């Protein structure tokens, strides 16, 4: 390290450490506020998604009343997908000052959920071009028990005949 001023080098390293500490503190703060609350396109479902992608809250609005189970399912899935994308984008925004141009940022970006904004993606979640949930074909009913398989015995302690 000939020709290097040790005091100047130490000051530079301290400045870099201070900058990194400030960016880390800001990252913690931003990540703590990276949840996203979104409303489904048909306004039937509102969800809050944590920065990790976990569902924190779900609320059904008055628009959900009277919806078929398939339409409500499509609204829930669409809102969750939009919320996960929004929370991920907030997380990326928070991470950018530290991770810009790094392999870590590339890795984080590779896990970004797909956008649900174009019509093809919207159809995947059961919505038509006007934003209304479309009836999806219900799944096939579960197969009946095989013949000859014994049915469970009735529990005599159950007074009303209900399993719950």
């Amino acid at each position: 390290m000939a020709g290097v001023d040790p005091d100047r080098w130490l000051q530079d390293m301290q400045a870099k450490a201070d900058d990194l500490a400030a960016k880390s503190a800001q990252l913690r703060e931003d990540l703590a506020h990276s949840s996203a609350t979104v409303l489904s396109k048909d306004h039937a479902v509102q969800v809050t998604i944590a920065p990790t992608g976990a569902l924190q809250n779900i609320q059904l609005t008055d628009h959900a009343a009277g919806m078929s189970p398939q339409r409500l399912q499509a609204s829930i899935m669409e809102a969750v997908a939009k919320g996960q994308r929004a929370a991920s984008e907030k997380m990326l925004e928070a991470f950018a000052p530290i991770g810009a141009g790094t392999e870590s940022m590339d890795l984080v970006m590779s896990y970004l959920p797909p956008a649900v904004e174009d019509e093809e993606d919207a159809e995947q979640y059961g919505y038509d071009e006007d934003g209304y949930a479309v009836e999806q074909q219900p799944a096939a009913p579960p197969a009946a028990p095989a013949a000859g398989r014994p049915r469970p015995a009735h529990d005599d302690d159950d007074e009303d005949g209900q399993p719950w």
Side-chain angles (χ1 to χ4, degrees), residues 68-71 73 134-141:
S68 70
Q70 293 82 13
R71 286 180 62 197
Q73 177 184 353
V134 176
E135 290 281 344
Q136 300 293 312
Q137 293 298 321

Side-chain angles (χ1 to χ4, degrees), residues 36-42 44-50 52-60 72-88 113-116 125 127:
T37 299
V38 299
L39 193 59
S40 63
K41 197 171 183 180
D42 63 3
V45 180
Q46 178 177 304
V47 298
T48 300
I49 304 292
T52 61
L55 180 64
Q56 290 181 312
N57 190 26
I58 185 167
Q59 293 180 346
L60 303 179
L72 185 55
Q73 177 184 353
S75 291
I76 291 168
M77 293 304 295
E78 183 256 339
V80 168
K82 278 175 52 177
Q84 288 173 332
R85 175 70 185 209
S88 293
V116 187
Y125 291 97
Y127 285 86

